[in-house]
Amino acid sequence: MKRILSLALLFFLLSPAFAQRPKVGVVLCGGGAKGAAHVGVLKVLEENNIPIDYIAGTSMGAIVGGLYAIGYSAAELDSLIMAQDWNFVMSDRIPRGSRSFQRKRQQDEYILRIPFGAGDYSRLGAGIQQRPESGSFLSNIPLAMVDGQNIYNLFTKLSVGYQDSLDFNRMPIPFACVAVDVIGKKEVVFHSGNFVDAIRSSMAIPGYFSPVRINDMVLIDGGALNNYPVNVARAMGADIIIGVKLGELDTKEPVIENIGDLALEVMDLYMDTKLAGSIADTDIIITPSTKGYNTLSFDTESLRNLIDNGEKAARDKQEDLLKMKDFLDRSQEQFIGPMKQPERYRKAVRLDRDSITLGAVTFNGLNTKDYNLLLSKSILKPGARISGQQLEDEVTRFYNTAAFQSVTYLLRGQTDPYDLELNFVAGRPSDLGLGVRFDSEEVAAILLGIHINDNTLYGSKFSLKAKLAYNMQAEFKYSYAFKSLAQFYTSYAYRSSNLNILNRGMVSNMGFGNHSVTAAFSTSKLRNIDIHMGARFDIFDYRRLLTEAEDISSYDTDLKRNKFLSAFINAEVDHRDEKYFPTRGYDVSGGFRFYFNSPFGDYNNFSVANFHFGTVIPAGNRLAFLLGIDNRTILGKKVPLIYGNYMGGLLAGRYLDHQIPFFGFNYTHVFQNVLTIATLDSRYRILDNHYVFASVGYAQDFDKVSEFFKDKPVIGARLGYSYNSVIGPLSANLQWSNYTGGLSAYVSIGYAF
């Protein structure tokens, strides 16, 4: 306050020379999720009618300050922050319901995917530039964990009317933000240009968000050189600085829990001297408590507390704020004439709740063939009236093709209609995938995948997948995607299995290798429906069949019968929002496969029909019930043992493609020709990403409908805990079944494959 008192004395001594009151600048520092506290501070400034003449910010301070500068109130910012799904916004994910089936499977299996091949561009921004190609494999590794597709489009959606190249001094509140050019090794202050690019550049935390390339600059988070830009606000003309510095000033107790925290702390090593000077040059400094929170504390409870902490810290400075306001009010009376108001744009259009009319529609980064495929049937036409959700759905559809590293848009102009500019940034067409899984049944398994031209819109594609485990699998696949919804594929697959088969207390052991060749047509671009139709030829190399029973159910144990030709059709519908911890949706699948009388021996025809239905029944924010029904029916006589009904374990298809999971026991148990299963799984979320389960299963098998209740049903139960980790679910389960008559445990970590 001493600086303000000195300024007040100088002002009143020289008041005839002043035409306007002293100008107030607000400075908002970076800090990731902790920057939500800025919103609470702005609430208090509004309540006290503190005039804000300039805003300067870095990183999260640039986001909050920038949106405030284009007309959002503190209350609107509060509701915006609390309404976002930050796990989605802070990633490049698209909603599972918007992914194609192929993308769903890959996302549900791999923990890491490394793109490679020609055609990659560096990311985002009106000034997109092509990255020079390099022959080094390391050049294929992404520059950061997140490219920024979703957060860029969020900024765009919230800033309609401010997406032309413009002077930030002509905003409702003049604004500036800070980034760092790693090529020029210098601080870059945005006073003009593309607003979305400016705030996206300012928050590009190294290692987490990819840098933004604009012209010859490679821009990262401004916190690398100036996380608390008081000097920027002074240069804009601020006489009085109200600064928001996150965390306490006298002690430094950093919380390093993630890559964002680490990057910010490394940047702090180079800022201490400058930061001390900036703090000394602040007239009123507000320090919201961020103890216990980190850069990525974007969960709802943390954000609410951080906003409240900002409000509390500002109220602690209420006396200083009121003294400053009194000084500004009294100085206003000394003006020689009315203040000259600069010409400014109107408040931004909120596309998250408003509709707009499209003017011209242009696109960058597409050739004519791709344009005809993607945009010829799009609703994004000149003169169309669209909502923000419709525009978002179309952009998601384009991005879901995986042919592009990013698909972003700008809406140019200041009034309706707005000209739409779509920017397609070509991605690398191929990728390497890695999956890892540990469990108490197979111990360890690694999934390796290489997909050539897999991320292209149409044409030839190749893939090779290998599961390295005790029961290994491998598949080579060639497919041709037509410009329509269909694709043709042919594949060769091999799997090796060694399984114990239990049948009413009797134990058998079967080891085999399975060679299979498939040729089929399928859908390739549908989001929630997957259909396959074709033929498959299987050869089984049996290593052994050891059995304690003279008869395993009613199946044929003749190991000479080992070659099978079949025709099949399968269909699947998946409307779940997540595979492993869904909160809503359902999935349905069914298929029919006919096995021909083999030309390699006089065997009977037989067929198999299967059906699955699952749905999620939510009961509040934390509790959900998952209901499942499965049936597999074998039609025919003397069906080979290998195609029998197998049930057991929590991982579908571990030993055989048609193995059905069941609560209650691990490994595989063989059942009669008709097997029906019903399960009810109750799941409660105790903390973010932590769940407890209680489950029950009922299974009934028979050979004839008249024998439905002849045998005792199988009852299974489970109690379990799961944690949704970054490398897949971590689960511990305790199971019981009346079929085995005892308890068993199962522990696993990683995605299922």
Side-chain angles (χ1 to χ4, degrees):
M1 283 299 295
K2 290 182 179 180
R3 186 186 300 274
I4 297 177
L5 294 175
S6 299
L7 184 61
L9 177 61
L10 179 64
F11 179 84
F12 285 112
L13 289 174
L14 302 177
S15 59
F18 283 81
Q20 296 187 14
R21 62 163 173 77
K23 298 298 183 66
V24 178
V26 170
V27 177
L28 307 177
C29 73
K34 294 181 286 187
H38 295 316
V39 175
V41 173
L42 291 173
K43 282 185 178 181
V44 176
L45 298 184
E46 281 185 2
E47 289 176 10
N48 289 281
N49 295 315
I50 304 296
I52 300 176
D53 300 292
Y54 305 104
I55 295 180
T58 297
S59 197
M60 191 64 170
I63 298 171
V64 174
L67 293 175
Y68 195 76
I70 61 174
Y72 285 86
S73 67
E76 287 176 314
L77 291 177
D78 186 319
S79 63
L80 273 175
I81 286 177
M82 298 307 298
Q84 300 306 314
D85 179 357
W86 288 101
N87 287 330
F88 169 75
V89 171
M90 298 292 286
S91 72
D92 291 325
R93 293 188 298 111
I94 58 176
R96 191 172 189 274
S98 299
R99 302 178 204 157
S100 67
F101 256 80
Q102 180 179 349
R103 302 304 162 202
K104 288 176 183 176
R105 291 193 180 102
Q106 291 176 346
Q107 292 289 338
D108 294 337
E109 290 181 337
Y110 294 118
I111 60 172
L112 177 65
R113 297 179 67 192
I114 301 176
F116 67 92
D120 189 32
Y121 287 74
S122 185
R123 145 34 283 107
L124 292 175
I128 294 170
Q129 299 224 336
Q130 185 172 8
R131 180 195 302 175
E133 291 297 334
S134 168
S136 169
F137 175 77
L138 293 178
S139 66
N140 295 313
I141 299 176
L143 293 174
M145 292 174 58
V146 178
D147 194 48
Q149 159 88 13
N150 293 333
I151 201 162
Y152 189 92
N153 284 338
L154 174 64
F155 296 156
T156 303
K157 183 168 63 174
L158 298 176
S159 61
V160 177
Y162 287 90
Q163 293 169 24
D164 298 289
S165 183
L166 54 90
D167 180 358
F168 294 174
N169 289 316
R170 298 180 64 203
M171 291 178 174
I173 300 175
F175 169 71
C177 63
V178 180
V180 171
D181 176 17
V182 295
I183 299 296
K185 297 179 176 59
K186 62 182 180 181
E187 179 180 326
V188 175
V189 180
F190 284 95
H191 291 287
S192 62
N194 182 282
F195 173 71
V196 178
D197 280 355
I199 57 176
R200 170 64 178 85
S201 301
S202 184
M203 57 149 291
I205 301 172
Y208 190 87
F209 281 113
S210 64
V212 176
R213 295 174 184 257
I214 298 179
N215 300 323
D216 296 326
M217 298 184 294
V218 177
L219 301 169
I220 64 170
D221 194 299
L225 290 178
N226 195 356
N227 197 43
Y228 183 56
V230 172
N231 63 318
V232 173
R234 291 285 186 199
M236 294 172 74
D239 301 301
I240 299 171
I241 298 292
I242 301 174
V244 185
K245 175 67 177 70
L246 301 173
E248 295 73 17
L249 296 177
D250 53 345
T251 60
K252 185 176 181 180
E253 299 178 358
V255 178
I256 301 178
E257 296 180 347
N258 52 62
I259 189 172
D261 291 338
L262 180 61
L264 290 181
E265 290 303 320
V266 170
M267 291 189 294
D268 275 349
L269 295 175
Y270 302 93
M271 296 190 307
D272 286 347
T273 302
K274 189 169 192 174
L275 178 60
S278 296
I279 290 173
D281 196 28
T282 303
D283 298 294
I284 298 178
I285 188 162
I286 300 172
T287 56
S289 174
T290 59
K291 188 174 182 179
Y293 303 101
N294 61 60
T295 307
L296 298 179
S297 294
F298 281 101
D299 60 280
T300 302
E301 183 178 355
S302 295
L303 291 171
R304 180 74 272 151
N305 291 338
L306 285 163
I307 293 174
D308 293 343
N309 287 354
E311 188 172 344
K312 179 181 182 300
R315 295 198 189 284
D316 289 343
K317 295 287 184 175
Q318 185 96 347
E319 184 178 349
D320 289 345
L321 291 171
L322 292 177
K323 287 180 180 178
M324 185 195 72
K325 179 64 166 58
D326 180 64
F327 160 60
L328 295 174
D329 289 342
R330 286 185 289 114
S331 64
Q332 180 78 43
E333 299 172 0
Q334 304 296 320
F335 290 163
I336 296 174
M339 294 178 62
K340 182 180 179 181
Q341 297 293 332
E343 180 184 355
R344 294 172 180 168
Y345 296 129
R346 67 189 179 101
K347 181 178 177 179
V349 174
R350 287 188 58 173
L351 200 54
D352 61 329
R353 65 182 186 187
D354 299 327
S355 296
I356 60 169
T357 302
L358 297 181
V361 178
T362 59
F363 60 92
N364 300 314
L366 282 183
N367 59 41
T368 302
K369 290 182 180 179
D370 293 347
Y371 170 82
N372 290 334
L373 180 62
L374 291 175
L375 292 173
S376 60
K377 298 181 180 180
S378 172
I379 64 171
L380 304 179
K381 304 291 186 183
R385 186 74 180 174
I386 63 167
S387 66
Q389 187 61 52
Q390 288 175 308
L391 179 54
E392 210 169 82
D393 289 345
E394 286 292 272
V395 170
T396 296
R397 181 172 68 86
F398 303 148
Y399 185 60
N400 182 50
T401 64
F404 307 101
Q405 182 176 326
S406 67
V407 182
T408 57
Y409 63 93
L410 292 172
L411 290 161
R412 302 197 182 272
Q414 300 170 32
T415 57
D416 218 25
Y418 295 93
D419 294 335
L420 173 64
E421 176 185 303
L422 290 164
N423 293 307
F424 295 82
V425 180
R428 296 189 185 272
S430 308
D431 63 67
L432 299 172
L434 172 67
V436 179
R437 179 179 176 83
F438 301 90
D439 63 50
S440 54
E441 193 167 336
E442 273 191 312
V443 183
I446 297 174
L447 179 66
L448 300 175
I450 180 170
H451 309 89
I452 307 297
N453 291 333
D454 198 48
N455 302 325
T456 54
L457 294 175
Y458 46 82
S460 294
K461 305 181 181 188
F462 303 85
S463 68
L464 177 62
K465 293 175 63 176
K467 174 187 175 182
L468 308 179
Y470 179 71
N471 296 285
M472 68 165 291
Q473 299 177 43
E475 180 190 52
F476 173 77
K477 182 177 181 180
Y478 166 78
S479 60
Y480 186 89
F482 300 97
K483 293 181 180 179
S484 63
L485 297 176
Q487 72 173 357
F488 168 80
Y489 70 88
T490 183
S491 67
Y492 163 76
Y494 174 80
R495 79 181 298 160
S496 174
S497 284
N498 182 59
L499 68 156
N500 291 320
I501 307 171
L502 283 81
N503 180 41
R504 303 296 174 182
M506 307 300 289
V507 180
S508 303
N509 178 270
M510 180 165 59
F512 65 88
N514 175 209
H515 304 265
S516 64
V517 177
T518 303
F521 287 90
S522 71
T523 56
S524 63
K525 300 180 177 69
L526 295 178
R527 293 182 296 177
N528 297 315
I529 301 175
D530 192 29
I531 301 173
H532 294 251
M533 181 171 59
R536 173 168 164 167
F537 178 64
D538 286 276
I539 299 177
F540 291 92
D541 294 329
Y542 294 103
R543 295 188 288 269
R544 61 187 171 277
L545 176 59
L546 305 175
T547 178
E548 297 178 0
E550 294 182 0
D551 181 31
I552 301 179
S553 248
S554 57
Y555 298 117
D556 184 1
T557 58
D558 181 3
L559 301 187
K560 295 179 182 179
R561 188 178 181 185
N562 67 339
K563 300 180 179 68
F564 303 94
L565 178 65
S566 62
F568 65 88
I569 181 169
N570 296 316
E572 184 175 355
V573 177
D574 188 346
H575 276 280
R576 295 171 295 175
D577 59 342
E578 293 292 342
K579 176 181 178 179
Y580 296 101
F581 300 96
T583 59
R584 62 182 181 276
Y586 64 91
D587 64 304
V588 181
S589 62
F592 182 81
R593 185 181 294 266
F594 183 83
Y595 291 85
F596 296 94
N597 190 337
S598 174
F600 306 101
D602 187 17
Y603 304 138
N604 295 327
N605 298 332
F606 66 96
S607 57
V608 178
N610 63 278
F611 171 79
H612 165 80
F613 171 77
T615 187
V616 182
I617 306 170
N621 294 328
R622 295 185 178 274
L623 179 63
F625 297 96
L626 290 80
L627 174 67
I629 298 173
D630 288 88
N631 175 272
R632 188 171 186 266
T633 299
I634 303 171
L635 305 172
K637 297 180 179 180
K638 300 298 289 183
V639 175
L641 175 63
I642 196 71
Y643 289 112
N645 281 329
Y646 293 90
M647 180 178 75
L650 296 179
L651 188 61
R654 182 190 288 273
Y655 298 101
L656 295 158
D657 290 343
H658 49 276
Q659 178 185 342
I660 304 173
F662 185 75
F663 308 131
F665 45 79
N666 298 326
Y667 303 102
T668 54
H669 299 244
V670 66
F671 294 87
Q672 298 177 81
N673 284 343
V674 181
L675 176 62
T676 303
I677 304 166
T679 59
L680 180 63
D681 196 354
S682 59
R683 183 194 67 207
Y684 187 80
R685 180 169 59 86
I686 51 177
L687 295 170
D688 287 326
N689 298 324
H690 295 265
Y691 301 84
V692 290
F693 293 84
S695 313
V696 63
Y698 173 97
Q700 185 74 61
D701 68 324
F702 54 91
D703 279 332
K704 300 178 181 178
V705 174
S706 60
E707 300 174 347
F708 188 89
F709 294 107
K710 177 181 177 181
D711 292 327
K712 182 181 178 181
V714 179
I715 306 295
R718 171 184 71 154
L719 292 176
Y721 159 81
S722 287
Y723 171 65
N724 189 13
S725 76
V726 295
I727 60 172
L730 186 159
S731 299
N733 301 275
L734 186 64
Q735 307 177 103
W736 171 88
S737 169
N738 67 338
Y739 190 75
T740 58
L743 292 172
S744 63
Y746 180 74
V747 178
S748 66
I749 181 170
Y751 295 122
F753 53 79

